[in-house]
Amino acid sequence: MHDHISTPGPTRSGSRVRSAVVALTLGAALFTAGAIGLAPDGSTTARSGPHAAPARGSLGALQARVRKTPQDADAWAALGMSYVQQARTTADPATYERAEKALRRSLAVRRDDNTGAQIGMGALAAARHDFPTALDWARRATTTDPYSSVAQGVLADAYTQLGRYPASYRAVQRMNDLRPDAPALARASYTFELRGRTDEAAALMRRSLDAASTSGERSFAHSVLSGLALQTGDTRGALREAETGLRNAPGDSALLEARARARAALGQTRRAVADYRAAIAVAPLPHYLLGLGELEQSLGHREQAEAQYAVLRGQETVRRTGRTPADTDAILFEADHGSPARAVAMAQEALRTRPFIAVHDAYAWALHRAGRDPEALRQADQALALGTRSALFRYHRGVVRHALGDDTAARSDLEAALRTEPRFHPLHAATARALLQRIDETP
């Protein structure tokens, strides 16, 4: 996409999509995706789409509507998207089955010219980390309604997670050309964040915040702005953004997790633990559990850490039963707290349908932990190829480079990781400092 987002005049949109409710998160299921050092990949508060919707309403209202008017394709599509949103915020895989059932009912009622259901199927596939299928549905939606900015957003998300970054930038530009609303500007922000241009990413996210029309959009913007502040070493700013968001949405799990990370970075560990626990009480998402577990472990609270890890292992058992690819959190957890060989296999499986930078990073770390450092370096280089500013990514590559005997390059990565985020990870930050000291003391 271009480096500047234009603000066009009024555009037209298909009549069908105007009547569909769409609620999308940014990126994987986007900004997935767990603790990857980027904006949240599917782990954040879902946002309402840009089109007016006669079918709009609460989950209960939509359920009542389809019972009353079972031939209303738009209501079925809206209900399906509502289930997708619910599943992303509750970590309940069974809800995805209900989403698919509702969306397929919508398509059965109206097979053609059903952009809302096509968008929903794309979002559902992305939430399940089936990005080739997400791309297929997004292409159908953009063909059915070339003027749907929401469909362009699903297309951009699929391209991003498939590692097709220039194509994703073009889809984001098209989305903004059609309708430069909060979701479009948020995705534009992410294109700059991917490339390490955090100042521009933050400026666009502020525009997204200004354009926000719902509480969910405002909460999402504040959580991303908090994460961007951490990437630039502004821990106080990160805390301020999270607290501003929480004043308006005190139960938002993504904002609670953002405040936990900011407080941990400031050394306010007891408060950080409390925030993580509050976030998990709302939604036991894997990256919340892993964040709290590793923070508790760093504090010497082994029993409390193991309690979080036990839940993660249970979630992994459910994932394997459903045969869905692992997320980066599960891969990193397995590499550090389980079997590195199994983590390698999980990463290989994930990479087949999601060759995204965060998966390359998780694969690199799994390979390192399994003693396969030459392969690990190739994956770590791919994770950082766009210029993404991630202290965790740089730490992983620094450790790999040290293992391969390249201490000069290792020092560069480790110093970069610690320069802006001295407490980028509750366990690995201390390891990075110790490793730097050993490198400096080596004759």
Side-chain angles (χ1 to χ4, degrees):
M1 87 176 254
H2 303 303
D3 282 353
H4 300 286
I5 302 299
S6 58
T7 306
T11 60
R12 63 190 180 91
S13 178
S15 59
R16 295 296 186 190
V17 76
R18 281 198 298 269
S19 62
V21 166
V22 212
L24 299 174
T25 56
L26 191 57
L30 208 174
F31 302 153
T32 163
I36 62 174
L38 303 177
D41 172 353
S43 55
T44 56
T45 302
R47 303 175 318 213
S48 297
H51 299 287
R56 179 170 293 164
S58 67
L59 181 60
L62 290 169
Q63 290 168 331
R65 176 157 183 172
V66 297
R67 284 195 298 268
K68 184 178 180 180
T69 56
Q71 294 305 111
D72 188 337
D74 296 325
W76 281 111
L79 178 61
M81 276 306 309
S82 185
Y83 280 133
V84 173
Q85 175 181 337
Q86 184 187 61
R88 284 178 170 176
T89 56
T90 62
D92 179 9
T95 308
Y96 289 130
E97 299 300 324
R98 291 191 283 273
E100 183 171 2
K101 183 177 179 181
L103 292 166
R104 291 202 179 279
R105 179 66 180 270
S106 177
L107 289 165
V109 172
R110 189 175 68 235
R111 172 62 55 181
D112 299 321
D113 194 24
N114 193 342
T115 313
Q118 291 166 342
I119 288 170
M121 290 296 288
L124 175 62
R128 288 169 160 171
H129 289 188
D130 183 358
F131 295 103
T133 300
L135 178 61
D136 180 61
W137 281 108
R139 283 171 167 166
R140 294 190 208 184
T142 55
T143 299
T144 301
D145 185 357
Y147 298 96
S148 168
S149 64
V150 182
Q152 292 293 330
V154 178
L155 184 67
D157 295 346
Y159 276 138
T160 298
Q161 298 299 315
L162 289 168
R164 298 173 62 176
Y165 305 110
S168 76
Y169 304 155
R170 290 191 294 271
V172 171
Q173 183 64 62
R174 173 67 172 161
M175 188 183 188
N176 278 271
D177 289 344
L178 288 166
R179 189 181 180 97
D181 58 1
L185 290 164
R187 281 178 174 81
S189 169
Y190 192 52
T191 68
F192 287 98
E193 185 179 356
L194 281 172
R195 293 172 281 175
R197 296 165 64 174
T198 50
D199 288 345
E200 290 143 301
L204 281 162
M205 190 53 70
R206 293 242 171 252
R207 288 180 58 187
S208 178
L209 177 60
D210 291 341
S213 60
T214 69
S215 174
E217 289 173 349
R218 287 186 288 274
S219 295
F220 181 82
H222 282 299
S223 66
V224 172
L225 285 166
S226 178
L228 288 169
L230 280 182
Q231 287 184 30
T232 59
D234 183 6
T235 51
R236 291 288 175 186
L239 180 61
R240 185 168 56 250
E241 288 293 345
E243 290 185 330
T244 299
L246 284 166
R247 280 197 290 272
N248 297 315
D252 187 278
S253 66
L255 286 168
L256 287 165
E257 189 260 355
R259 190 169 69 179
R261 291 179 59 216
R263 282 176 163 171
L266 287 164
Q268 300 173 7
T269 54
R270 187 169 65 178
R271 288 184 171 186
V273 166
D275 279 337
Y276 270 123
R277 291 191 178 279
I280 289 167
V282 176
L285 297 174
H287 66 290
Y288 300 174
L289 293 161
L290 184 57
L292 176 57
E294 292 184 327
L295 179 58
E296 295 275 29
Q297 184 177 341
S298 74
L299 297 171
H301 304 159
R302 190 67 201 180
E303 185 175 340
Q304 292 91 327
E306 281 299 328
Q308 308 309 314
Y309 297 160
V311 178
L312 281 165
R313 293 186 185 100
Q315 291 182 344
E316 173 60 14
T317 299
V318 173
R319 181 198 68 80
R320 287 198 303 270
T321 301
R323 297 181 179 178
T324 57
D327 203 347
T328 54
D329 306 294
I331 297 166
L332 293 174
F333 172 70
E334 192 65 38
D336 283 329
H337 306 282
S339 164
R342 188 181 301 120
V344 168
M346 291 163 62
Q348 289 171 336
E349 179 190 16
L351 207 58
R352 281 194 286 272
T353 56
R354 190 186 172 201
F356 179 56
I357 57 172
V359 183
H360 285 295
D361 170 71
Y363 189 21
W365 191 241
L367 287 165
H368 163 72
R369 296 283 293 172
R372 296 164 60 177
D373 288 301
E375 296 166 85
L377 182 57
R378 289 193 290 273
Q379 294 298 321
D381 285 342
Q382 284 187 264
L384 288 159
L386 297 178
T388 307
R389 291 180 67 169
S390 166
L392 187 63
F393 289 12
R394 293 297 292 266
Y395 165 75
H396 285 161
R397 191 172 68 177
V399 172
V400 171
R401 284 173 156 174
H402 172 69
L404 291 170
D406 189 349
D407 280 351
T408 299
R411 181 188 291 107
S412 175
D413 275 334
L414 295 170
E415 288 177 344
L418 291 166
R419 186 178 304 118
T420 55
E421 291 190 67
R423 292 188 171 109
F424 68 88
H425 188 278
L427 298 174
H428 296 327
T431 303
R433 285 190 290 273
L435 184 53
L436 269 176
Q437 185 174 352
R438 285 204 303 274
I439 290 173
D440 290 339
E441 291 173 354
T442 301

